[in-house]
Amino acid sequence: MKVFWLKKPAEEDMPMFRGAKEPQNIFKINIAEDYPFRYLSITNPNNSSCICTLNNLYFKSKDNNIVKLFMADSFDPGINFKQIEQLQIGHDKNNLYKLKPIELLSVETVSDTNINLLSDNYVLLTPGGSLLIETKLSINEAELELNLAVEKF
């Protein structure tokens, strides 16, 4: 297992929370394509020498949709990805997982509204771990905002 899905602690336990280390890095990624896509991936590559802690993951698109979040190993982000810190953010028409991903949550989104897919949880991505965001309806544009901490080893 290269992805760990953990419950966020209560307010009084925050100093012990792995992702509470400063500084927190916030990145916004806008993806716009001429072709429709249904999958967005967030991957910590196999050759990475770090652990990434995702504390918040906001998703926004122009249409109402149903969004599912999955975790898996052995994902190939292809050639169409952006590099953010150690993470590779990709998108595609097809699901490129070699192994069957594990569904973490499913949520309805409202057009042009940010929704935090990690409101109650946080994710540790070790080298080779991936998150996949799947939309029920194809989209041409999406915005992701990631709040993450990177620890190199």
Side-chain angles (χ1 to χ4, degrees):
M1 184 67 62
K2 297 177 182 179
V3 178
F4 299 89
W5 174 257
L6 304 163
K7 188 84 171 154
K8 285 185 179 173
E11 193 69 34
E12 61 272 7
D13 298 327
M14 285 305 278
M16 300 301 291
F17 175 42
R18 177 179 180 85
K21 293 184 178 180
E22 292 294 331
Q24 295 295 313
N25 302 302
I26 299 174
F27 299 97
K28 279 191 178 182
I29 301 109
N30 292 307
I31 300 168
E33 293 293 347
D34 295 332
Y35 61 87
F37 56 91
R38 293 188 48 224
Y39 299 94
L40 294 157
S41 64
I42 301 169
T43 301
N44 188 356
N46 280 321
N47 62 356
S48 169
S49 60
C50 69
I51 296 173
C52 296
T53 304
L54 279 169
N55 299 315
N56 294 296
L57 173 59
Y58 291 94
F59 173 86
K60 180 167 86 170
S61 71
K62 293 189 178 214
D63 303 307
N64 294 347
N65 215 326
I66 295 176
V67 175
K68 292 183 180 183
L69 184 65
F70 296 89
M71 67 179 190
D73 301 338
S74 304
F75 182 72
D76 177 10
I79 58 171
N80 208 8
F81 68 87
K82 297 180 180 187
Q83 188 82 27
I84 303 293
E85 285 285 328
Q86 295 293 322
L87 299 177
Q88 296 174 340
I89 314 297
H91 59 286
D92 207 313
K93 298 177 193 179
N94 303 309
N95 178 350
L96 301 176
Y97 279 100
K98 297 174 187 171
L99 304 174
K100 184 174 173 141
I102 298 169
E103 184 174 339
L104 301 172
L105 68 89
S106 179
V107 62
E108 284 189 46
T109 63
V110 178
S111 64
D112 290 324
T113 303
N114 271 337
I115 184 158
N116 188 1
L117 301 177
L118 299 176
S119 58
D120 297 326
N121 299 285
Y122 68 103
V123 174
L124 298 179
L125 290 172
T126 62
S130 296
L131 288 178
L132 177 72
I133 300 169
E134 175 188 56
T135 59
K136 182 175 182 179
L137 305 172
S138 294
I139 57 177
N140 287 65
E141 294 182 43
E143 181 180 289
L144 294 177
E145 183 178 314
L146 294 90
N147 180 327
L148 66 102
V150 176
E151 294 180 61
K152 295 186 180 188
F153 54 87

